[in-house]
Amino acid sequence: MKIALLAATGNAGSTTLAELIRRGHEVIAVARNLDKLPKDLPDNISCVQDDLTDTERLAKIISGTDAVVSAFGPSSSDPRYTSDQSYTDQLVGVTERAISAVKKAGVPRLLVVGGAGSLWFSPGVSVLDSGYWPEPYVAIAKSHVKAFSALRASEINWTYFSPPMMIAPGERTGKFRLGGDDVLFDSNGKNTVSFEDYAIALVDELEQPAHERQRFTIAY
């Protein structure tokens, strides 16, 4: 497959890129700063510098691909990340432009690295409203909710992949569970996964679509 990977240098983007390379896929790796991409990439990986601010330019970049993966997220190192939703709403703008670019370019599919806040914690209560969501991450969670709504309102073939409440770099085990709209807890009440295993499930979904125009989630 030929995949356009937007924001290929963050945690989700870099682990997804590594997984796509592992499986031999052709990738257009899009990043604001190409210096952050790995060196000595295989010949089937092309790198494009772009800040995802222009729909027309993005449509040209992704034209001819089998799917687009958006791993974009506003930088968490910026102090506004934990306090200013107008900053985290960059995510909404990028998602809306990705939707428009996918439609314009005729790309068959868009898969978005999502958030956990909109998962159901219990019947009728989202993770964001459960009382267990950390206050510093409320702004980004609300932005993810808005981006998810934009996808659901669109006419394209989308998939929204919610991580668990806790996701961090770790091991690539290949052992995890998948779910739908409900948060998945293990026997110890934990909801977690590594970025490496998240990337496995994401590329699995690209190769064997099971959640078109749906959201799904993952956890151990």
Side-chain angles (χ1 to χ4, degrees), residues 4 53 70 88 102 157 182 184 204:
T53 58
S70 177
T88 58
V102 163
N157 183 16
D182 296 329
L184 298 174
D204 285 348

Side-chain angles (χ1 to χ4, degrees), residues 62-152:
I62 66 175
S63 179
T65 61
D66 297 301
V68 174
V69 175
S70 177
F72 176 81
S75 174
S76 60
S77 63
D78 190 299
R80 293 173 293 176
Y81 186 86
T82 57
S83 61
D84 186 354
Q85 193 180 335
S86 65
Y87 170 75
T88 58
D89 273 353
Q90 292 178 72
L91 172 69
V92 185
V94 168
T95 303
E96 291 173 340
R97 287 189 288 276
I99 291 169
S100 296
V102 163
K103 185 175 182 179
K104 183 176 182 63
V107 176
R109 194 172 188 204
L110 171 63
L111 198 158
V112 172
V113 172
S118 59
L119 289 167
W120 294 117
F121 185 85
S122 60
V125 180
S126 70
V127 168
L128 181 57
D129 295 330
S130 67
Y132 290 90
W133 190 255
E135 180 63 31
Y137 302 108
V138 167
I140 185 60
K142 288 183 176 180
S143 296
H144 272 295
V145 169
K146 290 169 70 173
F148 185 27
S149 294
L151 283 170
R152 288 185 294 179

Side-chain angles (χ1 to χ4, degrees), residues 4-17 28-32 37 48 50-52 58 69-74 94 113:
L5 176 59
L6 311 183
T9 60
N11 281 320
S14 60
T15 48
T16 298
L17 178 60
I28 300 172
V30 183
R32 183 192 299 268
L37 287 167
V48 177
D50 193 75
D51 61 5
L52 309 179
L58 183 55
V69 175
S70 177
F72 176 81
V94 168
V113 172

Side-chain angles (χ1 to χ4, degrees), residues 1-43:
M1 298 176 69
K2 185 176 183 180
I3 307 297
L5 176 59
L6 311 183
T9 60
N11 281 320
S14 60
T15 48
T16 298
L17 178 60
E19 189 65 28
L20 288 166
I21 291 171
R22 178 189 288 266
R23 303 198 201 184
H25 293 292
E26 183 180 356
V27 181
I28 300 172
V30 183
R32 183 192 299 268
N33 184 354
L34 298 184
D35 291 337
K36 293 184 178 181
L37 287 167
K39 309 303 179 187
D40 302 320
L41 289 167
D43 292 339

